[in-house]
Amino acid sequence: MAGMRTRAGFGIAACGVATVLLVSGCVSTTNDAATPSGASQLQDKASSTAPGYAAIIDAGSKGSRLYLYKNDSADGRVKVSSAYSIDPDPAPAGYGPLASYVSHPEDAGPLGIRPLVDGLKSYLASNSIPERDVPVDLVATAGMREINLNNPSAVEKIYASAKSAIAGAGFTPGSVGTLSGRREALYSW
């Protein structure tokens, strides 16, 4: 995919953090209480012989990245590993961190999220993985926390646009929200 950098493996640290977040349900919305759908998906697959997948969009202050995780647990234990990632480099026109869409929140999904889920869609198709089997969670950080202090309605609109882009690409939107500052620090997210 032009303008996107992809890689099959992207490091033990990122995978370890995501494993903790997914399995322990530490991803949360602005109220710091929700469990990501990906955690349930991966935990449910622990008793199955078929691998389970979950995607997380890391919506950071410099841009968003997407990570796909695989739980391949033939023996009933959760064994999460990285399967794929995509990071816009160089970024396509109009792309920016979610917080940059505060003036035009309707553009957050089409410009900030859709390029990522389209890349995921291509990867899944080339590996015969059904999109319906991959929930997509979105975890935002400090930029969205800042906006939420003064303009919570913009945050809601940005997240609605992001969810729409995820669903529009054929995926089930999972948890979409902001990681608390405490959890961001704890996991060095």
Side-chain angles (χ1 to χ4, degrees), residues 118-173:
D118 284 347
L120 175 61
K121 190 174 190 156
S122 295
Y123 173 82
L124 295 175
S126 69
N127 287 279
S128 301
I129 302 167
E131 295 162 16
R132 69 181 177 278
D133 292 347
V134 182
V136 178
D137 293 325
L138 185 147
V139 180
T141 54
M144 294 299 283
R145 281 196 305 273
E146 289 291 319
I147 292 171
N148 195 53
L149 293 174
N150 299 314
N151 196 347
S153 67
V155 171
E156 290 176 26
K157 290 175 185 173
I158 288 169
Y159 286 151
S161 180
K163 281 184 179 182
S164 179
I166 293 166
F171 295 97
T172 301

Side-chain angles (χ1 to χ4, degrees), residues 39-59:
S40 299
Q41 178 87 3
L42 291 177
Q43 289 168 339
D44 290 347
K45 291 292 183 176
S47 60
S48 170
T49 56
Y53 295 88
I56 294 181
I57 297 172
D58 171 5

